[in-house]
Amino acid sequence: RLWLEVWYYRLKPFECAAGFYLLGFLALTLFHRKKLGIGLILGALLFHTLGIALRVYILQRPPVSNMYESMIFMNWALMIYASVFSILRKNSLAIATGSILSALVMIYANLLPIDSSLEVLVPVLRSNYWLTIHVMTIVSSYGAFGLAMALGHRHLFLRAVGKLDQNSEAESAALIFRVIQWGALLIGTGTFLGGVWANESWGRFWGWDPKETWALITFLGYLIIVHLK
């Protein structure tokens, strides 16, 4: 694992992924080279997945223990969802929009003054079981909501400049709604699992602390959108 850690720092997989995501977005949107764009984005996803896999193997735990890891994993989940929705809908709308957001978030993560090193977990988080089923579920929901945000910004921008016809607008709105539905399901499940973990760790399911309260507010906020729709 020591040799792999040295190789990880030399390879810089997440920086490579950010570059390929950006190039893939440009190839798809500016130059209309669909095959090249998809190929670049898949290459970025390969680097992205490799970087996460290396962190998991080296540290022997899920890669969601701090802000840097959460941003990277959220982005990975975002691109998985974008790829799935693009395959299901047989267009590159989701994957193109997700790639530019992923590139920007990964660049931003590397510019922030946050620790990106391979560090040991603090004692309260030393539970691979709950890190896997609770934290990864919650962070995955951020990926879905991030994709919905990017798609929403795209929708508003194209509508403002008059580039959306009636069919394109309906397709874009339907995609955003589906992504929000998936995110709401994930964050609701993750919030419930967090309560189970809290009951196991501290002997109470719910304590109205800031993380619990805002997780519930976020869930209810998105649930209102789904319900009204």
Side-chain angles (χ1 to χ4, degrees), residues 84-107:
V84 170
F85 278 107
S86 286
I87 291 169
L88 292 176
R89 292 180 173 266
K90 298 179 180 178
N91 62 48
S92 58
L93 170 58
I95 200 169
T97 307
S99 64
I100 183 60
L101 179 62
S102 289
L104 293 174
V105 170
M106 293 178 85
I107 292 169

Side-chain angles (χ1 to χ4, degrees), residues 114-212:
I114 55 178
D115 189 9
S116 62
S117 62
L118 299 163
E119 59 183 14
V120 178
L121 277 176
V122 295
V124 73
L125 292 176
R126 285 179 189 165
S127 171
N128 278 355
Y129 176 75
W130 286 111
L131 273 175
T132 301
I133 70 168
H134 163 61
V135 182
M136 289 180 73
T137 303
I138 287 286
V139 177
S140 294
S141 75
Y142 302 160
F145 292 138
L147 178 58
M149 179 202 71
L151 290 166
H153 278 74
R154 172 194 173 276
H155 186 105
L156 292 173
F157 175 75
L158 292 180
R159 188 172 182 180
V161 299
K163 294 289 186 180
L164 272 184
D165 58 36
Q166 190 171 1
N167 290 335
S168 297
E169 185 168 3
E171 182 182 13
S172 174
L175 176 59
I176 294 167
F177 181 62
R178 291 300 178 202
V179 176
I180 288 175
Q181 282 183 308
W182 178 241
L185 176 63
L186 286 172
I187 199 170
T189 304
T191 302
F192 174 79
L193 290 171
V196 177
W197 187 7
N199 186 61
E200 184 180 286
S201 298
W202 297 306
R204 53 103 178 131
F205 179 82
W206 197 265
W208 297 104
D209 68 37
K211 286 183 77 172
E212 292 170 340

Side-chain angles (χ1 to χ4, degrees), residues 27 50-51 57 59 69 71 136 138 175 212:
L50 176 62
Y57 182 74
L59 296 170
E69 290 184 343
M71 292 176 76
M136 289 180 73
I138 287 286
L175 176 59
E212 292 170 340

Side-chain angles (χ1 to χ4, degrees), residues 18-65:
F20 278 113
Y21 281 136
L22 185 57
L23 290 173
F25 169 76
L26 294 175
L28 280 173
T29 57
L30 292 185
F31 302 106
H32 305 290
R33 301 286 297 275
K34 187 172 182 180
K35 288 184 178 179
L36 176 61
I38 296 295
L40 287 167
I41 291 170
L42 290 177
L45 192 55
L46 182 63
F47 273 109
H48 202 159
T49 305
L50 176 62
I52 289 175
L54 285 171
R55 290 189 77 102
V56 170
Y57 182 74
I58 293 166
L59 296 170
Q60 299 290 289
R61 61 168 174 77
V64 285
S65 69

